[in-house]
Amino acid sequence: MIVTATAIPDVLLIEPKVFGDERGYFFESFNARSFAHATGLNPAFVQDNHSRSAQNVLRGLHYQLPPKAQGKLVLVVQGSVFDVAVDLRQHSASFGRWVGHHLSAENRQQLWIPPGFAHGFLVLSESADLLYKTTDYYSPEHERNLLWNDPDIGIDWPLDGPPILARKDAAAPPLAAADLFP
């Protein structure tokens, strides 16, 4: 696998080694030993999630506060998305900054988003299926949202018209009023 640090070095782009021929392809979507060797990290994943969304759906920006903060390893298995991570760690040099990357079933790239980040994505294809591993269980009492279009963050979403949002995402607070990580 090839691991590349993004503009926020703690967020990593993971490119698995793909073996393909005329029959199709094979790749390990996750191997704990390989992941640890390539990244120096050894997250304990406890939950796998599968999300399907239609085109122009924007989900996020979601996160969980300590002690239930989640790291996520995101993979698109059908379609394509613009996947975003926003640093909410108050004492980080990259606090309030974001990184985004196009993930698709075709490029098979993954994004490692460590605890302390909000996560969201915009579906670019007719629909998209995402699989993501998390380092802690879903905890509604620790779940928070961050406003997807907060001008203080300035995410450059590749929108083609207005996004389709959940009510909770449309009403999320901006960074200035959000619950943050110490």
Side-chain angles (χ1 to χ4, degrees), residues 165-180:
L165 301 165
R167 270 185 251 146
K168 72 176 186 176
D169 293 341
L175 182 62
D179 293 331
L180 303 172

Side-chain angles (χ1 to χ4, degrees), residues 47-51 70 72 130-134 136 138:
Q47 184 173 314
D48 283 353
N49 298 320
H50 186 151
S51 170
Q70 293 178 318
K72 295 178 181 178
L130 280 77
L131 300 178
Y132 56 99
K133 298 180 164 310
T134 64
D136 210 331
Y138 173 67

Side-chain angles (χ1 to χ4, degrees), residues 5 14-15 19 42 47 61 74 83-84 92 100 115 127 131 136 143 147 156 170 175:
I14 313 290
E15 298 181 64
F19 302 92
N42 193 16
Q47 184 173 314
L61 301 158
V74 182
D83 203 73
V84 171
S92 167
S127 67
L131 300 178
D136 210 331
E143 180 183 31
L147 187 61
D156 187 16
L175 182 62

